[in-house]
Amino acid sequence: MGNREDLLDGARRCLLEKGYTRTTARDIAQASGVSLAAIGYHFGSKDDLLNEALRGAIEEWGDQIAAAMAGAAPADAGPAERFEATWTSILKAFARTRPLWAVQFEVLAHIERTPELRSSFAAANRQARLGLAELFGVEVEALGPRRAEMVGAYFQALLSGTAAQWLMDPDGVPSAGELLDAVRAVCAGLGPAETAG
């Protein structure tokens, strides 16, 4: 690896071990075995380096989840079976990715005061919604991009909310079957879709 890759790797380790706000430029330089000046040379600032390392970690997590979910349900699984199998995979992944979830929530607390962080994550967020929709078996072309993105936003809200609950109380998080039952209960309470006349 070169200095740039070493810095990204060191920043990622620091993010997961110390968090976003507690990581210093010196921590990253020490973890990566690269000089402090190399951070400015390759990334401009410590924050830019941390942001890029975090984006990379989130993308890698997304790839891991997609790979785990690819075989979670049989190809001929119905929507309910796919939902439950997907959530079973996600809930198992929470334990492995706890530090990443913690740092994501930490970043959310700072995003209001960091416009460049907000803009870079907003674009990634829109793409993540479509990715989540696809992971849950939504046919994006059939729904259209905007509606598929909103379905992905629903799954994103469910995922983020479940992750927050898991961080606070891992034993109290609903199982995949309980989440499926809750979604069914909500949908039954909504009744059929109304058509515009």
Side-chain angles (χ1 to χ4, degrees):
M1 287 197 301
N3 282 354
R4 182 177 173 80
E5 292 78 21
D6 289 338
L7 284 166
L8 282 167
D9 184 58
R12 177 195 207 128
R13 282 184 281 133
C14 288
L15 277 170
L16 299 178
E17 291 168 12
K18 299 184 96 173
Y20 191 86
T21 56
R22 292 184 55 219
T23 295
T24 67
R26 288 192 189 285
D27 294 330
I28 298 168
Q30 184 175 15
S32 62
V34 176
S35 75
L36 201 55
I39 294 172
Y41 176 78
H42 289 287
F43 295 94
S45 72
K46 174 199 78 156
D47 290 343
D48 289 340
L49 168 55
L50 286 175
N51 295 344
E52 189 166 331
L54 180 58
R55 276 191 298 275
I58 292 169
E59 285 174 19
E60 185 177 300
W61 172 83
D63 293 344
Q64 290 171 358
I65 287 293
M69 292 187 324
D76 61 345
E81 187 179 0
R82 181 179 311 283
F83 180 96
E84 191 167 357
T86 300
W87 275 102
T88 297
S89 293
I90 289 171
L91 292 170
K92 285 178 185 176
F94 280 159
R96 292 188 316 272
T97 58
R98 182 182 181 93
L100 180 59
W101 280 103
V103 79
Q104 286 182 78
F105 282 106
E106 182 185 354
V107 167
L108 285 175
H110 296 281
I111 211 161
E112 185 65 30
R113 292 179 292 285
T114 316
E116 62 278 0
L117 187 61
R118 176 189 285 199
S119 64
S120 73
F121 278 87
N125 190 41
R126 285 187 286 276
Q127 202 57 35
R129 289 175 179 171
L130 288 172
L132 279 171
E134 289 174 355
L135 287 175
F136 278 92
V138 172
E139 294 185 28
V140 173
E141 288 186 25
L143 283 183
R146 179 65 181 163
R147 192 162 183 218
E149 184 183 341
M150 292 305 97
V151 171
Y154 165 79
F155 284 119
Q156 187 178 48
L158 192 57
L159 177 64
S160 298
T162 304
Q165 291 178 54
W166 191 88
L167 284 170
M168 291 182 280
D169 180 17
D171 296 330
V173 172
S175 69
E178 290 168 328
L179 286 171
L180 177 60
D181 185 54
V183 168
R184 284 181 167 146
V186 169
C187 290
L190 293 175
E194 297 178 14
T195 57

